[in-house]
Amino acid sequence: MTYQLTAPLLDACVLGIVNAEDAYGYTLTQKAQQVVDISESTLYPVLRRLQKDGYLTTYDVPYQGRNRRYYSITDEGRKMLSFYQGEWVIYKGKIDSLLGSEGIKENEEN
Amino acid sequence: MKKIDFLNELEKRLKVLPADDRSDALYYFNEYLEDMGLTDNDDVSSVFESPKDVAGKIIEECRIKHIAEHPVNKSVKNNATIIWLSILGILSLPISVPAVAVIFVIALCLLIFVGAIILSLAVCGIAMGFTGFVCLLVSFFTGSFGQSLVLFGTGLMLIAFAILIIIGLISLIRLLGFVFSKIFGKKRVK
C-alpha cells in the first residue's frame, strides 16, 4: 500500500468495522487486512485503547468449549465514529482538491 | 516458535503491566491463535513478530494511556511507572540495547569525571589551607626578620588560595544540584 495508515485513522477504521457488526479479534483483523496493510498484532493495542477509552466494550461468547471475546461499539464510540467520519470527509475533500481529482473538477464546472 | 512458547514469553515480557492489562492481552493472542486453528505445538513465527516486539507495542500503548489518564496528577509513583514503562519499551527494541549501553557508560564516565574534579579540588584546598597555617606558625620562629616576612606572606597567600578553591567548590556543587533538579523537573512535566 502506498499510503500509510496513521493511528487516528486506524482507530476510525476499527470503530467502523465494529459498528457494522460485533467482531472478535481474528475476524476484525481479517476485515481490516482486506483493505489496509497491517500485521496480525497491530489491532490489539488499538482495541485495548478504544476499550479503555470507553468506545468499545467486550463480551464473551462460548464457542467450541472456549470463549470468544467479541468487541461491540458503545454510544460514546458511535459519537467518536461520526466525528471521525466528518473529519474524514473534510480531509478527503482537501486532499482531493490538492490532487486535482476528477470529482472536484466536475463540481467546479457545474 | 511454538504457540505455547510464544504465549509464555509474551506473558514474561508483559510482567511490568498491571495484571488486568496482561491477562487481557494474553487472552486476546491465545484466542487469535486458536481462531487460526493453531494448537500449543504449532509454529507461530509466521503469524506474529517476536514476543519482544509484540510486547513492546502493547507496553507502548499502555504507556500512552497511562500518561493520558494522569495529565495533572504528578505523584512520584505515577512518574516512576511511566519512566519504568518507557525504559522497558526502549529496551524491548533490539536496536536500542547497544544505544542504551552507550548512554549508560557515558553517564557513568561523566559522573566519575565530575566526582574526580570535586575530590581533587577538595584535597587541594585542604592541603593549601593546612600548609598556609603551618607557614604562618613557622614564620614566628625564624632567625631573621626577612625570613619571617617571606614565610608569613607565603602563608597568607596559601590560605587565600584555599579559601578561593573552597568557595569555587561550593558554587560548583550548587550548580550541579541546580542542573540535576532541572533535569528531574523537566521529566516531571512530561
Side-chain angles (χ1 to χ4, degrees):
Chain A
M1 201 170 83
T2 312
Y3 302 114
Q4 291 281 320
L5 206 56
T6 58
L9 200 48
L10 193 57
D11 286 11
C13 289
V14 168
L15 287 174
I17 295 168
V18 179
N19 188 43
E21 191 185 1
D22 290 2
Y24 52 94
Y26 184 65
T27 52
L28 252 168
T29 305
Q30 293 286 306
K31 281 184 185 173
Q33 279 180 336
Q34 284 170 8
V35 184
V36 293
D37 187 18
I38 54 166
S39 80
E40 309 277 342
S41 63
T42 306
L43 286 190
Y44 176 73
V46 177
L47 287 167
R48 182 69 178 159
R49 191 183 62 238
L50 290 172
Q51 188 194 336
K52 280 193 167 180
D53 288 343
Y55 301 137
L56 294 180
T57 176
T58 61
Y59 59 94
D60 292 348
V61 175
Y63 172 80
Q64 292 187 352
R66 60 190 176 87
N67 274 336
R68 258 183 186 156
R69 186 159 288 173
Y70 278 78
Y71 290 84
S72 84
I73 197 163
T74 62
D75 288 341
E76 282 294 306
R78 283 193 198 91
K79 274 183 215 160
M80 198 61 196
L81 178 60
S82 70
F83 166 77
Y84 276 138
Q85 285 164 342
E87 289 286 300
W88 176 248
V89 170
I90 294 166
Y91 181 68
K92 194 161 115 50
K94 285 180 181 168
I95 297 292
D96 280 345
S97 72
L98 289 178
L99 295 179
S101 74
E102 294 303 313
I104 297 294
K105 276 179 192 164
E106 277 168 22
N107 283 338
E108 280 170 355
E109 279 162 16
N110 293 339
Chain B
M1 178 175 253
K2 285 181 187 171
K3 178 188 151 194
I4 189 148
D5 296 332
F6 175 86
L7 291 171
N8 283 338
E9 199 178 330
L10 187 63
E11 181 172 15
K12 238 183 267 168
R13 294 197 178 271
L14 293 177
K15 278 263 159 68
V16 59
L17 294 180
D20 63 323
D21 281 337
R22 187 169 62 240
S23 65
D24 191 87
L26 287 166
Y27 187 97
Y28 178 91
F29 284 98
N30 185 42
E31 183 198 290
Y32 196 98
L33 292 166
E34 279 180 346
D35 281 328
M36 292 185 79
L38 299 171
T39 57
D40 282 357
N41 288 320
D42 286 328
D43 183 66
V44 298
S45 318
S46 58
V47 182
F48 296 123
E49 306 90 320
S50 70
K52 200 180 189 178
D53 291 342
V54 174
K57 278 193 204 169
I58 297 169
I59 291 170
E60 172 74 6
E61 199 59 61
C62 286
R63 187 180 65 86
I64 291 167
K65 186 67 208 147
H66 226 90
I67 294 168
E69 265 175 3
H70 310 283
V72 187
N73 186 356
K74 288 173 203 151
S75 78
V76 177
K77 204 188 160 194
N78 275 329
N79 276 321
T81 318
I82 291 164
I83 292 165
W84 186 226
L85 285 175
S86 306
I87 291 168
L88 274 150
I90 290 166
L91 283 177
S92 68
L93 303 171
I95 314 152
S96 45
V97 173
V100 169
V102 167
I103 290 168
F104 179 75
V105 170
I106 289 173
L108 195 68
C109 287
L110 273 176
L111 208 66
I112 292 171
F113 174 69
V114 171
I117 285 182
I118 288 174
L119 188 71
S120 54
L121 279 178
V123 170
C124 253
I126 291 166
M128 275 190 175
F130 182 74
T131 319
F133 272 114
V134 171
C135 283
L136 281 187
L137 284 178
V138 171
S139 68
F140 293 110
F141 303 103
T142 50
S144 72
F145 185 62
Q147 271 181 331
S148 288
L149 272 185
V150 168
L151 275 171
F152 196 75
T154 314
L156 283 179
M157 259 165 66
L158 283 172
I159 288 169
F161 275 128
I163 290 169
L164 277 179
I165 286 174
I166 284 162
I167 288 170
L169 196 62
I170 289 167
S171 50
L172 182 67
I173 288 168
R174 276 199 185 146
L175 182 75
L176 285 174
F178 177 72
V179 168
F180 272 115
S181 69
K182 259 268 158 112
I183 292 167
F184 279 101
K186 264 185 187 169
K187 267 184 187 166
R188 260 177 221 141
V189 172
K190 274 179 189 174

